Amino acid sequence: QGENLLYCFEVAPVQPALTQVTQCRTEGSTRGLAAVPRLALDVMACEVLRVLQLTDTALVPVSYLVPRKSVQEFHEDLFPDCTGMLPATDAQGWWAGDSQQVGRVSLHPARRPTETFTSPVIAGTDSHPTHHTDTDTGHTDTDTGHTDADQSASGYSSPSSLASPGSTATSLSASTGPSSGFASSPSQKSLQSILGPSSRFRHAQGRVLHRDCHLTNLRGLSLTTPGECDGFCANHQRVALPLLSAGGQIAVLELSKPGRLPDTAVPTIQNSVAVADLTWDPFDPRRLAVAGEDAKIRLWRIPEGGLQETLQEPEAILRGHTEKIYSIRFHPMASNLLVSSSYDMTVRIWELSTGQEVLCLQGHTDQIFSMAWSPDGKKLATVSKDGRIRLYEPRCSPQPQQEGPGPEGGRGARLVWVCGGDYLLVSGFDSRSERRILLYRAQALREGPLSVLGLDVAPSTLLPFYDEDTSVVFLTGKGDTRVFLYEVTPEPPYFLECNSFTSNEPHKVKGGCAGCPRPPACAARTPLTPPPHQGFVFLPKTACEVREVEFA
């Protein structure tokens, strides 16, 4: 009493016993509070609680709504059966030992019992309700001049104004309860389960760093690297970018020297054939492995301080594949160990100190889309066009230890280990070309995915990047402008959505559209849009500015 804050807590029989869900600041000081009975709630608007606040001059209803995509359906998880209005016994019966309970009634509008509850009229002056909704908590303050009698008359059936265009009501099956409206109550759901779990990192914000940190005036980039390649690669010192010019040239730029590049040509690596994939050695920041379309892998050593002149002779060349290579990956634990996949449908492991192939993994029957070492380096997972995910233990056998069903579509897929190496996250397509992510238990691939989440429809494969410290996965594709963020958990619902990121750096095509007879006029009308990603990679965690709470 005398305060203007309302706190909402979830109560649980285990620690923490009290968890704050939301708080509401009211206009006037509280002189008294009362909760409206559940029978008076507007269930079709997903109202789960209504409190009446008595102030010095008014009686103010405060409504708590749970946001749901569809407000045309009755959500049984929000509204279990509640105590009815008919007594179970009388005073004499109670003294005689009768312990019957009051019958429970359904809150579903179509199964309401004949008797209705009508609350006293709430006086007010404003004839139009005003809502202030916190999108994070779903909490709504309502000032209204309508009476609860009006609500009980109109709120139990779905108003047509609340129906979204094209939505259809879902009919309830007869098995949900007797037609009388009395039914056994499902277990009471906690508020956390009603609102659904939320990620601790749901408010993570992507921010483009100041232009002083950018490398600009990049010219002649190759935008035709295979879908299995990230497009370029970076470590904490430098970045390697394939160029479009003949001879498979690769620009190597120092991250310590940001700014505008000169208009003249920069020193490059002459790889001699088009680049299929490239990656930095995690234990040697000066060694770059490049897979070529001639089925060879070249190892290049960058001079101390960066590339000052064109490099033409590789440190070593690895030969063994018979067809073009898809992708290459260094081992996360052991130095001088590299794995490669190729159109010859083999996966080969190389010992770089000797330049020799040490193992050839078998079992693939079609194109290998992606491969990834487990965090502990013991296992290697692959996903391929034949719709299978395979798990290898190279030190035990060249044959797959496990197999399981992968994404349906044959347009591309990626995989990454998550949750301490116990689970595999796979990005791919369904049969209708919708991009989706799938979560598998690594020890039970045969059982199929634990969870499947559809994201959007787009032509490019989603590239997943996983931060093991926060268990947040970042997903974007070549040509996209948006980065999806999800926290991955080993318990349902497995994927917790965080803020997605879209660069707010606008750009427009200089001079308007190609072939336009009036380029200046066209350019003036060209909308400013976020630039699409041609590639997307993450720097090592040591590059993060921890004092700014930067985690990726």
Side-chain angles (χ1 to χ4, degrees):
Q1 290 189 358
E3 297 183 4
N4 64 342
L5 280 176
L6 286 177
Y7 296 96
C8 178
F9 286 87
E10 178 186 352
V11 186
V14 293
Q15 292 296 333
L18 287 174
T19 306
Q20 184 169 336
V21 177
T22 181
Q23 68 180 37
C24 163
R25 187 177 296 276
T26 59
E27 291 185 6
S29 297
T30 299
R31 298 304 173 198
L33 280 177
V36 171
R38 291 182 63 79
L39 285 166
L41 297 180
D42 187 356
V43 294
M44 299 310 291
C46 297
E47 182 184 40
V48 295
L49 177 66
R50 194 186 313 161
V51 175
L52 299 181
Q53 180 205 27
L54 179 66
T55 67
D56 292 332
T57 58
L59 196 61
V60 181
V62 181
S63 178
Y64 289 80
L65 306 179
V66 174
R68 286 291 166 93
K69 288 183 179 179
S70 171
V71 292
Q72 195 175 19
E73 302 173 7
F74 178 74
H75 296 276
E76 293 197 81
D77 58 324
L78 299 183
F79 301 105
D81 297 347
C82 71
T83 304
M85 299 292 292
L86 300 177
T89 184
D90 57 13
Q92 292 176 334
W94 184 82
W95 282 110
D98 189 349
S99 297
Q100 290 188 67
Q101 302 296 303
V102 171
R104 304 186 73 82
V105 297
S106 170
L107 292 176
H108 194 293
R111 299 203 305 267
R112 295 302 296 269
T114 52
E115 77 273 13
T116 58
F117 171 86
T118 304
S119 73
V121 172
I122 301 171
T125 56
D126 186 2
S127 62
H128 299 287
T130 59
H131 294 270
H132 309 283
T133 303
D134 181 344
T135 55
D136 182 32
T137 60
H139 170 266
T140 305
D141 306 336
T142 305
D143 273 339
T144 178
H146 294 305
T147 66
D148 267 11
D150 294 336
Q151 294 251 18
S152 62
S154 65
Y156 293 136
S157 61
S158 175
S160 60
S161 62
L162 290 178
S164 57
S167 64
T168 57
T170 303
S171 61
L172 274 100
S173 63
S175 62
T176 52
S179 58
S180 65
F182 291 86
S184 59
S185 171
S187 60
Q188 186 73 27
K189 298 285 195 292
S190 71
L191 197 55
Q192 180 68 27
S193 66
I194 291 175
L195 295 172
S198 59
S199 170
R200 298 170 295 163
F201 309 103
R202 62 186 179 276
H203 298 306
Q205 295 288 339
R207 179 168 58 91
V208 177
L209 297 187
H210 192 272
R211 283 188 172 273
D212 290 347
C213 306
H214 298 193
L215 282 157
T216 60
N217 201 33
L218 304 178
R219 292 167 173 257
L221 296 179
S222 172
L223 307 179
T224 57
T225 51
E228 294 78 25
C229 173
D230 290 342
F232 72 113
C233 65
N235 61 24
H236 64 283
Q237 292 183 358
R238 48 187 64 94
V239 58
L241 301 152
L243 302 180
L244 198 57
S245 51
Q249 294 188 45
I250 302 168
V252 177
L253 308 175
E254 299 296 307
L255 293 177
S256 60
K257 300 174 183 177
R260 179 183 171 88
L261 296 179
D263 292 335
T264 55
V266 296
T268 61
I269 292 174
Q270 297 279 3
N271 195 59
S272 73
V273 294
V275 175
D277 196 17
L278 69 174
T279 183
W280 292 102
D281 187 334
F283 306 112
D284 185 349
R286 291 170 49 205
R287 182 156 66 174
L288 179 69
V290 181
E293 293 190 353
D294 60 351
K296 298 174 185 174
I297 301 170
R298 291 167 175 82
L299 303 177
W300 299 90
R301 180 159 296 278
I302 309 303
E304 197 72 52
L307 208 59
Q308 306 297 330
E309 58 185 11
T310 298
L311 275 186
Q312 295 182 331
E313 290 299 323
E315 187 179 56
I317 300 179
L318 308 178
R319 298 177 175 87
H321 283 295
T322 57
E323 293 190 48
K324 174 183 169 182
I325 296 171
Y326 299 125
S327 57
I328 50 177
R329 296 286 184 271
F330 277 97
H331 195 276
M333 296 293 173
S335 62
N336 291 318
L337 211 54
L338 182 77
V339 64
S340 61
S341 63
S342 163
Y343 276 89
D344 61 18
M345 290 184 286
T346 64
V347 173
R348 299 172 191 249
I349 300 177
W350 306 84
E351 170 60 69
L352 302 187
S353 58
T354 61
Q356 300 297 315
E357 173 192 325
V358 291
L359 186 63
C360 180
L361 302 180
Q362 306 290 337
H364 295 96
T365 60
D366 208 334
Q367 179 181 353
I368 303 159
F369 284 142
S370 179
M371 58 186 179
W373 289 105
S374 61
D376 58 13
K378 294 178 180 178
K379 298 178 181 179
L380 182 75
T382 67
V383 57
S384 61
K385 194 174 182 178
D386 59 11
R388 306 293 291 173
I389 298 174
R390 294 174 174 86
L391 198 60
Y392 293 85
E393 282 198 56
R395 290 182 295 189
C396 299
S397 169
Q399 297 297 327
Q401 177 203 38
Q402 278 193 72
E403 282 192 37
E408 299 172 25
R411 298 180 53 184
R414 288 295 189 98
L415 54 73
V416 64
W417 294 79
V418 297
C419 300
D422 294 329
Y423 295 81
L424 279 166
L425 185 144
V426 181
S427 69
F429 298 86
D430 67 1
S431 55
R432 299 181 311 240
S433 297
E434 181 187 41
R435 297 197 293 190
R436 46 174 45 189
I437 51 178
L438 306 91
L439 188 69
Y440 294 81
R441 188 179 290 108
Q443 294 302 319
L445 291 182
R446 292 182 183 87
E447 298 175 5
L450 292 170
S451 180
V452 180
L453 179 65
L455 297 183
D456 60 2
V457 176
S460 60
T461 306
L462 286 167
L463 313 178
F465 299 92
Y466 179 70
D467 177 53
E468 60 185 16
D469 298 332
T470 58
S471 198
V472 170
V473 65
F474 303 77
L475 300 132
T476 193
K478 295 178 184 178
D480 288 7
T481 59
R482 181 181 180 187
V483 183
F484 297 95
L485 275 74
Y486 289 90
E487 182 183 355
V488 186
T489 68
E491 301 91 21
Y494 301 109
F495 299 115
L496 303 177
E497 188 172 6
C498 306
N499 277 342
S500 62
F501 166 69
T502 302
S503 170
N504 55 8
E505 294 281 311
H507 88 305
K508 66 181 177 184
V509 180
K510 188 175 182 180
C513 308
C516 178
R518 296 181 298 149
C522 179
R525 296 195 307 271
T526 303
L528 295 175
T529 58
H533 310 139
Q534 305 300 343
F536 205 80
V537 299
F538 274 64
L539 292 174
K541 202 65 178 275
T542 50
C544 290
E545 181 56 75
V546 294
R547 286 172 294 186
E548 298 288 336
V549 204
E550 180 186 34
F551 73 99

